[in-house]
Amino acid sequence: MRRGLLRTTFSLFATLSGGARVLAQAEQQAGAEPEASEGDDASTNRPIASMSDAELSEREISWLDIGEVVVSSGRLRACDPLAYPDFPPLKRVVEPGRYPVRLYVAFGRVAAATLRIADGRPVTWEEALHEAGDDGKQASPFGGYPVDAGMGAYCDADALEQMRRRVRDVMEKTGRKDVNYYDDVTAEEIDKNDGEWAMHRPMPDSDLNVAMFHSGWGDGFYPVDWGLAEDGRPLVLFTDFQVLENADGRKEPE
């Protein structure tokens, strides 16, 4: 994996305007309004989220359960936590609790990541849209987020607020203003896991954490979808890093 991407300097206080530019480019490339999530542009890798360990092994997809994300407010964020920490929370709210995160690996890369809300096989899927801003507009017409630091994440909205507190603490301790969250805070944790992931607690006196993981090919725009039960309950949050096609790791996409 391109671990060097993680060492690019990004300020924790990168504004949403940067993300908006990436989203605008993606929208322009896509043309008009995006199709529904069940259309031709829907991820073909969603079945991964429902596969048994045996089925994954048969398709040469490995997996890693990295721990549970503590959700306090129910407002989840799926984002690049280093380059775009201000990316808005997801519109759909879940019950507070602890939810396990699994990474799926193929061709030596993190191919997908799930946050499991409840047991069960999704019956339908929908794009994971974000909360509207103060102007009532969505940050993006797409379910997904831009990546510029080679990392994706799942966490509660409150956890990213704690990341801001951590930055202030580091600034006060070091007397520096050019704090880099990767280099100054998370590098050691991520390096312990081969540079691929960490269950990071921004504040030592809090259980809130951020599941950070490498984003497949690195920088780009990656789709995020909700897998829903028949009654509309969310079962799983699925991020596709577009390493695979048709949920199969036996042949690398061209």
Side-chain angles (χ1 to χ4, degrees), residues 60-76:
E60 298 185 12
I61 301 170
S62 59
W63 62 93
L64 180 63
D65 296 318
I66 64 173
E68 296 177 323
V69 167
V70 177
V71 177
S72 55
S73 71
R75 298 169 65 232
L76 291 171

Side-chain angles (χ1 to χ4, degrees), residues 16 23 71 73-80 84-94 127-134 137-140 142-145 153-161 164 224 226 237:
L16 184 57
L23 293 168
V71 177
S73 71
R75 298 169 65 232
L76 291 171
R77 288 184 190 264
C79 66
D80 178 335
Y84 302 116
D86 293 322
F87 210 70
L90 300 179
K91 186 176 181 180
R92 181 182 284 274
V93 176
V94 301
E127 291 180 281
L129 299 178
H130 302 88
E131 290 182 1
D134 294 338
K137 295 181 179 180
Q138 286 281 331
S140 166
F142 303 99
Y145 58 88
Y154 291 133
C155 67
D156 189 89
D158 292 342
L160 286 180
E161 295 300 324
R164 294 182 178 85
V224 182
W226 286 107
L237 188 61

